[in-house]
């Protein structure tokens, strides 16, 4: 099949996504405060091989070259996040002007290269000073976050037309406050439920603030979504799917859409009500201009009577003899089609942007080249599924590859390689991989010959 950019229409948004902590480095430069990721990566045995993001891709200093590279790759849109602790080192209170200047320069550089900046306000790097006051478990976060959002929109809103409030709230509350495998490393149901409720309130409040200060801009927020299927076609596994789906896929989007939390399908979520204050039900809802969908794989789930709370278990790809990535995620392109079609059933969902999709594979660097056929095929196959969903009526209007360049992959350190561009972390040299060249050719509107 020939895949042509034109088939998606002229206003379809193509881009790449990154996140501050994963690429910027300069962890304490120019007055930046510590974030929970700066602190978490210092703790023993939390991150594979003891890796951290102190230097990462050194993007804080190398952004002009990286933006120019994006321009050379024909990438018209760039999604990045702002590190809250560069702007407010203590999370709230005094502004750190050099941090503000950095994002002004970065945005200007994008504009100078004809690249639209798409800004995520929170991609997991909470200022450590706020975590010491309870972080997302403290309801005060709504005020801290609101001031931060307000400040950013006033500073950057003259050039930024697309805002995203949160990145994948289920991941930073689930991995960070329930399982303790991401920063800040907290565990337990109470931490999870309180942080989840406050994050859900912040995502809607953030939307209201952006829209009131910058009515012309488009505001959204992003969610991870994995299409979930039963391991066996039996009732118990189907029930396990329903519960897992409520937790992983519906918990944050449905209250935003005014449907409330999916309490009926996962009883344990009823504990969220402990953190309710008067008026919260209405405050959870906000009519976003777009929603970011982030999909990488599908999950197979089975009934597991001994799993606390959820009585369901995800069967990892490694146990299923299927093609998988370095993250042990199954390669299954139709998952993104199913995700889009499922979201199409939600009323009031105006525009969907695929704000992340991509794959980690082991790369081989040979004679100055990285011939990453697997990543190229993965991306191409997923883009083809997005087109199918669009043709079947899904209101999808954008696709961003995760990610521009190899970077710090959270608990997995630098081991998984997700980039279209290879980074030599000793020299910071960048080498465009075959997948990056393919994407550039695709974006150039040339008809593409099939990948061999
Ligand atoms: C996150 C990224 C992450 C990617 C791959 C998403 O969950 O938003 O920060 O690197 O998936 O794991």
């Amino acid at each position: 099949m020939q895949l042509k950019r034109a088939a998606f229409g002229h206003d379809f948004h193509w881009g790449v996504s990154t996140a501050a902590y994963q690429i910027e480095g300069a962890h304490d430069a120019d007055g930046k405060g510590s974030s929970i990721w700066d602190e978490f990566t210092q703790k023993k045995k939390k991150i594979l091989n003891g890796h951290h993001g102190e230097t990462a891709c050194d993007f804080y200093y190398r952004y002009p070259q990286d933006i120019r590279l994006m321009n050379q790759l024909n990438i018209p849109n760039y999604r990045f996040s702002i590190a809250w602790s560069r702007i407010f080192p203590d999370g709230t209170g005094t502004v750190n002007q050099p941090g503000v200047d950095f994002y002004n320069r970065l945005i200007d550089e994008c504009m100078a290269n004809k690249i639209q900046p798409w800004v995520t306000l929170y991609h997991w790097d909470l200022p450590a000073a706020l975590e010491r006051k309870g972080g997302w478990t403290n309801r005060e976060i709504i005020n801290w976050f609101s001031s931060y959002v307000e400040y950013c929109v006033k500073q950057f809103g003259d050039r930024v037309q697309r805002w995203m409030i949160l990145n994948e709230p289920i991941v930073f509350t689930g991995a960070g406050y329930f399982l303790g495998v991401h920063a800040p490393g907290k565990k337990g149901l109470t931490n999870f439920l309180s942080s989840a409720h406050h994050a859900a309130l912040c995502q809607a409040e953030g939307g209201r603030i952006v829209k009131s200060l910058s009515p012309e801009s488009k505001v959204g927020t992003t969610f991870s979504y994995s299409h979930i299927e039963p391991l066996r076609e039996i009732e118990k596994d189907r029930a396990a799917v329903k519960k897992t789906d409520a937790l992983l896929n519906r918990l944050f989007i449905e209250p935003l859409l005014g449907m409330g939390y999916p309490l009926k399908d996962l009883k344990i979520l009823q504990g969220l009500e402990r953190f309710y204050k008067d008026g919260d039900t209405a405050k959870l809802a906000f009519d976003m201009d777009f929603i970011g969908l982030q999909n990488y794989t599908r999950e197979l789930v089975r009934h597991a009577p001994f799993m606390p709370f959820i009585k369901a278990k995800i069967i990892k790809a490694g146990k299923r003899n299927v093609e998988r990535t370095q993250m042990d995620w199954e390669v299954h392109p139709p998952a993104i089609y199913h995700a889009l079609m499922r979201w199409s059933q939600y009323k009031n969902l105006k525009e969907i942007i695929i704000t992340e999709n991509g794959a980690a594979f082991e790369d081989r660097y040979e004679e100055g080249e990285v011939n990453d056929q697997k990543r190229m095929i993965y991306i191409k196959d997923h883009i083809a599924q997005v087109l199918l969903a669009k043709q079947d009526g899904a209101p999808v209007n954008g696709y961003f590859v995760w990610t521009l360049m190899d970077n710090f992959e959270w608990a997995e350190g630098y081991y998984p390689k997700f980039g279209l561009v290879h980074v030599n972390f000793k020299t910071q040299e960048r080498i465009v991989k075959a997948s990056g060249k393919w994407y550039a050719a695709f974006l150039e509107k040339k008809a593409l010959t099939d990948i061999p």
Side-chain angles (χ1 to χ4, degrees):
M1 184 190 59
Q2 275 214 341
L3 196 56
K4 289 189 192 146
R5 177 182 178 173
F8 292 80
H10 293 301
D11 30 354
F12 196 87
H13 305 285
W14 296 96
V16 290
S17 290
T18 64
Y21 188 75
Q22 295 180 274
I23 61 166
E24 283 180 3
H27 68 112
D28 58 358
D30 299 338
K32 176 180 171 293
S34 279
S35 79
I36 53 174
W37 275 94
D38 290 314
E39 297 200 344
F40 189 67
T41 50
Q42 296 303 310
K43 294 188 180 153
K44 285 212 175 79
K45 299 207 171 137
K46 295 292 181 195
I47 310 295
L48 190 66
N49 302 320
H51 288 166
H52 52 71
E54 285 186 6
T55 306
C57 306
D58 203 29
F59 182 77
Y60 186 77
Y61 297 110
R62 289 169 197 266
Y63 73 90
Q65 295 94 300
D66 288 332
I67 303 288
R68 225 171 302 134
L69 181 59
M70 274 183 238
N71 173 302
Q72 286 160 7
L73 294 177
N74 305 319
I75 294 167
N77 296 284
Y78 175 37
R79 171 177 176 246
F80 60 88
S81 76
I82 294 180
W84 184 345
S85 68
R86 280 197 202 284
I87 310 278
F88 291 102
D90 297 323
T92 186
T94 313
V95 170
N96 176 44
Q97 194 55 43
V100 179
D101 294 345
F102 167 67
Y103 291 107
N104 270 320
R105 291 195 306 273
L106 173 57
I107 292 166
D108 287 346
E109 196 69 34
C110 288
M111 311 298 275
N113 280 277
K114 299 198 168 47
I115 293 171
Q116 281 301 316
W118 291 53
V119 175
T120 309
L121 287 154
Y122 184 76
H123 201 127
W124 306 354
D125 45 356
L126 187 75
L130 297 182
E131 184 53 41
R132 280 190 261 289
K133 297 180 195 165
W136 287 96
T137 68
N138 184 342
R139 196 177 165 103
E140 266 300 295
I141 189 109
I142 303 168
N143 293 328
W144 304 327
F145 187 65
S146 298
S147 314
Y148 161 67
V149 172
E150 190 180 321
Y151 186 83
C152 288
V153 179
K154 285 184 177 160
Q155 277 297 319
F156 312 122
D158 56 335
R159 288 149 294 157
V160 175
Q161 290 302 307
R162 289 275 187 166
W163 296 95
M164 285 143 288
I165 308 299
L166 300 180
N167 183 72
E168 300 187 352
I170 186 59
V171 179
F172 75 78
T173 57
Y177 288 85
F178 183 66
L179 300 172
V181 295
H182 275 191
K186 280 189 174 158
K187 290 185 184 164
L189 194 60
T190 303
N191 284 327
F192 170 64
L193 294 173
S194 57
S195 61
H197 185 53
H198 301 144
L201 287 165
C202 280
Q203 72 184 1
E205 192 56 25
R208 280 186 282 273
I209 294 171
V210 173
K211 222 45 198 180
S212 69
L213 294 173
S214 178
E216 303 301 310
S217 70
K218 290 203 171 184
V219 66
T221 194
T222 78
F223 300 110
S224 48
Y225 183 100
S226 290
H227 173 63
I228 308 178
E229 292 177 22
L231 183 69
R232 303 155 297 183
E233 279 303 335
I234 58 172
E235 196 40 48
K236 280 184 169 173
D237 284 5
R238 277 194 287 271
V241 168
K242 206 169 196 178
K243 286 187 262 189
T244 314
D245 184 54
L247 180 67
L248 297 185
N249 292 330
R250 299 170 52 206
L251 178 57
F252 288 93
I253 191 171
E254 295 195 355
L256 187 68
L257 295 173
M259 301 161 70
Y261 292 120
L263 304 179
K264 276 200 220 100
D265 291 323
L266 184 59
K267 295 260 165 357
I268 195 74
L269 296 177
Q270 289 171 3
L272 285 161
E273 286 169 349
R274 275 175 26 221
F275 304 98
Y276 263 61
K277 294 253 155 65
D278 277 355
D280 275 8
T281 305
K283 285 186 192 152
L284 285 167
F286 181 71
D287 187 16
M288 293 284 182
D289 295 313
F290 70 100
I291 303 283
L293 192 160
Q294 315 201 147
N295 171 263
Y296 290 87
T297 188
R298 74 162 166 181
E299 304 289 5
L300 293 197
V301 162
R302 73 165 169 78
H303 173 63
F306 300 114
M307 276 308 257
F309 311 125
I310 187 153
K311 301 207 181 329
K313 190 171 171 12
I314 290 177
I315 311 303
K316 300 295 285 180
K319 298 227 164 91
R320 294 193 270 117
N321 196 23
V322 289
E323 192 192 350
R324 59 192 209 269
T325 70
Q326 281 182 307
M327 302 293 283
D328 198 7
W329 296 343
E330 181 185 2
V331 175
H332 189 70
I336 203 164
Y337 173 86
H338 291 304
L340 283 164
M341 296 320 288
R342 170 96 181 277
W343 274 19
S344 303
Q345 289 163 19
Y346 283 130
K347 280 182 255 148
N348 314 329
L349 210 160
K350 297 176 197 143
E351 183 186 46
I352 306 172
I353 304 286
I354 304 292
T355 38
E356 286 184 24
N357 172 249
F361 290 111
E362 197 180 335
D363 288 327
R364 241 186 289 141
Y365 174 78
E366 276 169 349
E367 295 167 22
E369 308 250 335
V370 179
N371 191 9
D372 58 336
Q373 293 293 314
K374 282 189 184 171
R375 183 174 298 100
M376 186 161 80
I377 292 167
Y378 177 102
I379 293 171
K380 185 192 163 203
D381 287 351
H382 281 76
I383 291 177
Q385 292 287 328
V386 172
L387 181 59
L388 274 184
K390 188 172 163 65
Q391 287 164 345
D392 286 348
V396 56
N397 202 29
Y399 175 93
F400 287 60
V401 175
W402 183 269
T403 180
L404 173 67
M405 56 191 160
D406 295 340
N407 63 21
F408 175 80
E409 176 52 39
W410 310 114
E412 318 301 324
Y414 294 93
Y415 162 69
K417 308 291 184 206
F418 271 97
L420 296 173
V421 175
H422 164 85
V423 176
N424 176 333
F425 287 100
K426 289 203 184 90
T427 61
Q428 291 294 345
E429 188 190 1
R430 277 53 165 154
I431 289 158
V432 180
K433 301 180 193 176
S435 59
K437 292 179 188 164
W438 179 86
Y439 197 45
F442 173 74
L443 294 177
E444 217 185 14
K445 302 179 185 167
K446 274 190 192 154
L448 288 168
T449 47
D450 245 357
I451 292 173

